[in-house]
Amino acid sequence: MNTKVVEFERYMEEKGLKSTIQRDEIVNTFFNVKGHVSIEELHHTVQKRNPKIGYTTVYRTLKLLTESGLAHERQFGDGQARYEAVTTEEHHDHLICLKCGTITEFENMKIERLQEDVAKEHGFKVKNHKLELYGYCKKCRKQ
Amino acid sequence: MNTKVVEFERYMEEKGLKSTIQRDEIVNTFFNVKGHVSIEELHHTVQKRNPKIGYTTVYRTLKLLTESGLAHERQFGDGQARYEAVTTEEHHDHLICLKCGTITEFENMKIERLQEDVAKEHGFKVKNHKLELYGYCKKCRKQ
DNA sequence: GTCAGTGCAAACCTTTTGCACAGGT
DNA sequence: ACCTGTGCAAAAGGTTTGCACTGAC
């Protein structure tokens, strides 16, 4: 079992939240899926295992995961929110292909540092940030 | 009159689009308002001058402005699209205050260059990008 | 047994579209 | 006169909520 799942169970206990079949199924599925799922996609995947689980519960569980800090909600401009598991590793940013929609992650410490510099110049305290490069991936450029 | 308005008139002529009182009013207002308006805000402002102008026309005119390249549509995660006039100057990014909602612009060539480097490493061709720093502005930090 | 969790259906909110009328060319 | 532009009202699409039932504790 995923360590993230255990962390979430700890969070639920702290908050006095109940452990249910639905939450277990949703959380497990979420952490076993590669990043950036929409509510609908996750709901669809979860339903393969347990068709009784409703959209609303997936929605509410993703909110819980977001509040607990174990998931991030992202908006990539395709009209729906996408969620990704938060890693304890470095923060990462995204390369988004405009043709095939593939989302690739990257991290770059130099950019992070420059961001801090810019913020400092403006007397601004950064809580988090978002860097997205939109364009064409290697595969799509060849075609 | 704003040079941007003239550019848009040229664009309309090229495309065989008609010049109407509504479009004139909307475009003029758009270019005279400081950045990042939502459709609703622009509609509201425009209506002060001419109450007969409908939401739909503002919506469609902003799409036109976006297609013409004179406006950019942005998504800051507050649930509605925001539009800003495109400057011929440098590309800029945003500092967004989580408390008061103020959006400040900045530009940093070093970051732009590093982005290109990252893209190149992934065989990715960048068309455009988005960098947003969320946190607390100078004013809100003092309080 | 109690009270939080679930799932349906409906409300909401923003964006988008159909259609009849208005108005620019 | 023609045909695009406009504005209402309604559809669409995603998100959020009310409420009665279910089930964890």
Side-chain angles (χ1 to χ4, degrees), chain B residues 75-118:
Chain B
Q75 199 72 47
F76 290 123
D78 61 345
Q80 57 184 8
R82 293 184 170 276
Y83 296 82
E84 78 179 11
V86 169
T87 61
T88 42
E89 305 144 36
E90 273 324 313
H91 173 88
H92 61 259
D93 296 300
H94 300 94
L95 291 161
I96 297 147
C97 181
L98 295 167
K99 185 136 186 280
C100 67
T102 302
I103 299 167
T104 310
E105 297 175 354
F106 71 89
E107 51 186 73
N108 186 306
M109 285 311 288
K110 286 186 196 164
I111 293 178
E112 309 272 315
R113 248 174 267 129
L114 284 169
Q115 287 176 7
E116 283 299 333
D117 292 349
V118 168

Side-chain angles (χ1 to χ4, degrees), chain B residues 13-26:
Chain B
E13 196 167 332
E14 268 175 32
K15 295 279 178 178
L17 302 173
K18 289 174 184 172
S19 167
T20 66
I21 292 167
Q22 289 93 328
R23 281 181 180 162
D24 290 354
E25 199 80 78
I26 294 165

Side-chain angles (χ1 to χ4, degrees), chain B:
Chain B
M1 183 182 286
N2 198 306
T3 43
K4 290 291 163 185
V5 175
V6 178
E7 277 186 54
F8 187 63
E9 280 169 2
R10 197 178 304 140
Y11 176 81
M12 288 207 292
E13 196 167 332
E14 268 175 32
K15 295 279 178 178
L17 302 173
K18 289 174 184 172
S19 167
T20 66
I21 292 167
Q22 289 93 328
R23 281 181 180 162
D24 290 354
E25 199 80 78
I26 294 165
V27 171
N28 261 298
T29 306
F30 178 69
F31 287 118
N32 282 317
V33 149
K34 66 286 159 225
H36 317 107
V37 276
S38 66
I39 301 174
E40 200 188 348
E41 286 166 1
L42 186 57
H43 179 223
H44 187 253
T45 307
V46 163
Q47 280 209 321
K48 284 181 194 159
R49 298 250 230 129
N50 187 338
K52 287 188 176 179
I53 295 179
Y55 179 94
T56 309
T57 304
V58 175
Y59 165 78
R60 287 196 267 232
T61 304
L62 280 172
K63 288 288 176 220
L64 269 187
L65 281 163
T66 303
E67 284 164 24
S68 77
L70 292 169
H72 271 160
E73 187 180 323
R74 302 204 173 268
Q75 199 72 47
F76 290 123
D78 61 345
Q80 57 184 8
R82 293 184 170 276
Y83 296 82
E84 78 179 11
V86 169
T87 61
T88 42
E89 305 144 36
E90 273 324 313
H91 173 88
H92 61 259
D93 296 300
H94 300 94
L95 291 161
I96 297 147
C97 181
L98 295 167
K99 185 136 186 280
C100 67
T102 302
I103 299 167
T104 310
E105 297 175 354
F106 71 89
E107 51 186 73
N108 186 306
M109 285 311 288
K110 286 186 196 164
I111 293 178
E112 309 272 315
R113 248 174 267 129
L114 284 169
Q115 287 176 7
E116 283 299 333
D117 292 349
V118 168
K120 208 167 287 176
E121 282 169 27
H122 287 80
F124 195 91
K125 175 68 183 169
V126 179
K127 287 293 287 181
N128 60 62
H129 71 264
K130 187 194 282 187
L131 171 57
E132 289 148 24
L133 307 183
Y134 294 85
Y136 299 101
C137 70
K138 195 187 277 185
K139 205 165 23 165
C140 289
R141 289 174 72 189
K142 285 182 187 165
Q143 293 169 5

Side-chain angles (χ1 to χ4, degrees), chain A residues 21-131:
Chain A
I21 293 167
Q22 290 93 328
R23 280 181 182 163
D24 290 355
E25 200 79 80
I26 294 164
V27 171
N28 262 298
T29 306
F30 178 69
F31 286 118
N32 282 316
V33 149
K34 66 284 157 228
H36 316 109
V37 277
S38 64
I39 301 174
E40 200 188 346
E41 285 166 2
L42 186 58
H43 178 221
H44 186 254
T45 306
V46 164
Q47 280 208 320
K48 284 181 194 159
R49 299 251 228 127
N50 186 337
K52 287 188 176 179
I53 295 179
Y55 178 95
T56 309
T57 304
V58 175
Y59 164 78
R60 287 194 268 231
T61 304
L62 280 171
K63 289 288 176 221
L64 269 187
L65 282 164
T66 304
E67 283 163 26
S68 76
L70 291 168
H72 272 161
E73 187 180 323
R74 302 205 173 267
Q75 199 72 48
F76 290 124
D78 62 344
Q80 57 185 7
R82 293 184 169 277
Y83 296 80
E84 79 179 11
V86 170
T87 62
T88 43
E89 305 145 36
E90 273 325 311
H91 173 89
H92 61 259
D93 296 300
H94 300 94
L95 290 161
I96 298 147
C97 181
L98 295 168
K99 185 137 185 284
C100 66
T102 302
I103 299 167
T104 311
E105 297 175 355
F106 70 89
E107 50 187 73
N108 186 306
M109 285 311 290
K110 285 185 196 166
I111 293 178
E112 308 272 315
R113 248 175 267 127
L114 284 169
Q115 286 175 7
E116 284 298 332
D117 292 349
V118 168
K120 208 167 288 177
E121 282 168 27
H122 288 79
F124 196 92
K125 175 68 184 170
V126 178
K127 286 293 286 181
N128 61 64
H129 72 264
K130 187 194 283 185
L131 170 57

